[in-house]
Amino acid sequence: MFRATLKSLLARKVRLVLSGLAVVLGVMFVSGAFVLTDTLGRSFDQIFADAYAEVDVNVAAKPKLAVNEFEGEQIQTPFPAATIETVRSVPGVAEATGTVVADGARMIGSNGKVITSFGPPQLGGNWVGESDLVQLREGREPRADDEIVINKALANAGKVAVGDRVGVLTLAPKEEFTIVGVFGYSGDRDSLGGVNEVMFTTPAAQRLMLGEPDVFNNIVIKSASGVSDDSLRDSVAAALGDDYVVKTGEQLSADAAAGLKEGLTFFNRILLGFAAVALLVGTFLILNTFSIIVAQRTRELALLRAVGASGKQIIGSVVLEAIAIGLVASVLGLAAGFGVGALLAYAFSNVAGGLTLATLGMPAAAVIGAFAVGLVITVLAALLPALRAARIPPIAAMQDVATPDRPLTKVTVAGAVVTALGATLLFLGLGGHAGGNTLATILGGVLFAFIGVALLTPLISRPVVAALGAVFSGWTPGKLGRLNSGRNPRRTAITAAALMVGIALVTGITVILDSAKSSISGLAQDTIKAELVIAGAQSGPRPPSFDPAVLAEAKAIPGVRIADGLYGDMAEIGGEQTWVGALTEPSALRQVYGVTATAGDIDRLAPDQMLVSSDAAESRGLSVGSTLAVQLARGAERTYTISGVFQSTPLFGTQAVLPTEAARDFSIQQPIQGFIQLEPGTRVADVQPRVEALLANSPEVSVIDLDGFIDQQASQLDGLLQMIQILLALAIVIAVLGIVNTLALSVLERTRELGLLRAIGLRRSQTMGMITVEAVVISVFGALLGVAVGAGLGAAVVEALRDEGITKLVLPWGQMGVFLGLAAIIGVVAAVLPSIRAARINVLGAIAHD
């Protein structure tokens, strides 16, 4: 049986390639994700090791507020310069240097625009001199407070050089500086991990990056000879007390790498999620392939049974074939994944500003994942056809008809049960009844929904395919193609289901995002009472900000009624972290944002008062007169008294509003948005240019009308949708391969039939047209299923998010029409090779084919 299986496998090389291609692509995605994250992880390990190589021990004050990278910027608490003398007095300290280093130094390039960063921080600090790691390549160190040195990567990005005068944005509004030096790093590197760095004199760095004079936020310590880093760390920690965090350079490197790898793990899970979708589609393809293979080998398998092969041996034969295909596909997919991972790592390094990549390697997770996925998926997909093959009676060897169509009752019942299970899981997940397993419940519901619909598809395939094929029924090849696509409902359904998954996901996500855009846009139009908005498109981790003085000057413009600035940051309130805001004019909460009061006064705030939302008041049991302890990113904890409660609204999602004075302790101490309300009768065109002129020193933002602001914010969802569509394109490519595979195997199966049709007059062009119609009908059927299922899933999510402000259901009819048109094109493309093969069949040889 082993030899017979291998001979059968090698005799059908084309089938082997087509069967394994889907697994190759799925495995490629899985292994590529692991190769990418492993390469980036090791690259950042090396960067952090280099960055802290000259640090024996480091001292930093405990942060006032601990936030992760998804919540905002971690602010290091500054401490007085006198702390350095305390450290120097500790036995074993050879040298202690106070340093300033903080994110948020944004330089303006030669084109007048702020140089942005898509991930790496934009650090500002004090120049402490050259070292083995840092060397000046041009110029000198800064000596005056209006002089800076910058790293080579920033000089290249801004197209500036020594002697140029440039603007820099920090905690303060734009100030002008002269570039007096450009520095680089050992190993001829222009930056460490794509980080842009601006170095000031120490007084300037303290004022601009920390907000107060004579303070630092790090102390770099060199150990005396013979003193271990660990022992010195413990001594310094004992001398400073619990308000400081003291770590060795190795600890800092490991902690920094661990934090970044946590983000890479999240990114890896996203890629693996899309790989799972691709493999789900591939499972449909392999299942269909082996079903056709078993059907074609009915006589062969029956003869094996007749000469003594047992059912177990037949199952083993089919499974062995699946293992062989899975092994070959896993090896090829692993190799392709290595290449894709390397390509993505190279692309990431360029986006990150020239990240120096570590040597590419093949992590064990990639190898294990590749073979586990490749083998398991292939064997599982082949298992049902294998069981079916074991039930073939020996008498079938003497019959011409191999596999008569079976009733769909069991499949339909199973599909109904699985679909109901998927719907139940979706209801629990979307309705908030899944406890802490919401995401897993929703994903399980989507998976079971897809499988259930796929099982129900044979029931509807004949009538729907007949209806779709009616378009071609006036043409003889078209009529034959329609009949062929409906002759085997199971095969047609599985082929169509593969395409359904990808299109359903794209459609569902499009429905959700379009509904969110429409709902938020409508809510903004109805709620925000401002004709002009000061804002900028966020292109990195920090939102754009502007000089608060602009608002006071804008309010002085004739015709301006209110000029309000919105500040925002994470804060710890009553032991819980939440997003808080501050307004230039508290009355704008009602007059501009359309928020109503439910208790107290929300039009004014004293320095020791705050406002809370009705949701926060209800969940925490708060009322007017209650007090709350608030810890911001900077400064000491303060207690505020609640003076008013405002009605919660999805548009103004801030849970608490603090007085304007509190913004001094925010991570970003400048407004991130501004709203200008005009007096009745004032023309926007008369005010907008004057406000734009006030923003000359705030190049990160511009003043736009309300419609432009809404479009600007909505464009971020468009970018997300495009990324998802690109990642899901692989699933659609695999589905196309499935159609090619089904048609190619179907042509082999119908060799004699095609020969007879050719013999009675069907021309080659008509044969190709018949195969093409069959492909188009199957593709459009799959797309129609995908559009329907995706729209249904999207509508369910939108309904579940109604309380979050997504109140409008938007069905993207135009895009759904494009998907159906694209499906027709996919069918034509998928039919090219099978139709050419069918047209080239030797008529006499085909008639004699058995």
Side-chain angles (χ1 to χ4, degrees), residues 109 205 218 342 379 469 574 578 580 791 809:
N218 282 277
V379 171
T578 186
V580 300
L809 174 62

Side-chain angles (χ1 to χ4, degrees), residues 58-60 76 79 84 97-101 216-220 252:
N58 185 84
V59 174
Q76 285 188 309
F79 49 80
I84 301 175
T97 305
T99 63
V100 173
V101 57
F216 296 91
N217 61 355
N218 282 277
I219 302 175
V220 176
L252 287 174

Side-chain angles (χ1 to χ4, degrees), residues 471-481 763 765-766 768-770 773:
V471 178
F472 307 99
S473 294
W475 180 42
T476 299
K479 185 175 182 179
L480 291 172
R763 297 189 300 274
S765 60
Q766 291 177 312
M768 295 178 69
M770 177 183 69
V773 167

Side-chain angles (χ1 to χ4, degrees), residues 65-68 71 570-579 620:
L65 188 70
V67 297
N68 60 42
E71 294 173 333
M570 290 295 296
E572 185 177 286
I573 300 180
E576 296 181 14
Q577 289 194 177
T578 186
W579 184 261
R620 294 170 178 253

